[in-house]
Amino acid sequence: MKSGNFDFMLLARFGSPVVQLKDICVEFFGYQPKTAEQKAKAGTLPIPTFKTRDSERAPTLVNVTDLSNYLQSQYEQGRELWQSVNG
C-alpha cells in the first residue's frame, strides 16, 4: 500500500489535514488521552505533535501526513515480517 493511500483515507475520515491527538491516540497508539499528552510533552510519541498557540489549554494536534507515514512504516515492517515467515 502506498503512503498516498493512507493520506487519502485519513483525510477522508477526519475531513482535515490536522487532527487532535485525543481523537486518535487510543486507536492508533493504544494510549489513553492523558498518557498520550504526557508522551507528546516528552517528545516520545512515534510522530511529531504541535499546538497552534502557546497555552496548556490549546489542543495537541497531529498532521495526518505524519500519521500516514507512521502507519505506512508500521505496515511495511509487518509485511516484511509476514513475508519472512510465510515466504
Side-chain angles (χ1 to χ4, degrees), residues 18-86:
V18 175
V19 295
Q20 289 190 33
L21 178 60
K22 70 176 185 169
D23 294 336
I24 64 164
C25 61
V26 173
E27 179 178 357
F28 294 108
F29 303 119
Y31 300 132
Q32 293 301 313
K34 184 176 179 180
T35 303
E37 283 292 333
Q38 292 169 341
K39 288 185 172 288
K41 287 179 186 176
T44 58
L45 284 174
I47 61 173
T49 62
F50 65 98
K51 292 182 180 241
T52 57
R53 60 185 189 276
D54 190 19
S55 167
E56 283 294 316
R57 293 182 179 221
T60 301
L61 304 172
V62 171
N63 184 307
V64 295
T65 300
D66 292 330
L67 179 59
S68 171
N69 291 338
Y70 169 73
L71 293 174
Q72 181 67 34
S73 173
Q74 294 301 105
Y75 167 76
E76 289 169 2
Q77 289 176 20
R79 184 173 174 84
E80 286 175 16
L81 176 62
W82 183 86
Q83 284 180 327
S84 71
V85 171
N86 295 293

Side-chain angles (χ1 to χ4, degrees), residues 9-20:
M9 288 185 284
L10 292 170
L11 282 169
R13 176 167 177 194
F14 295 110
S16 173
V18 175
V19 295
Q20 289 190 33

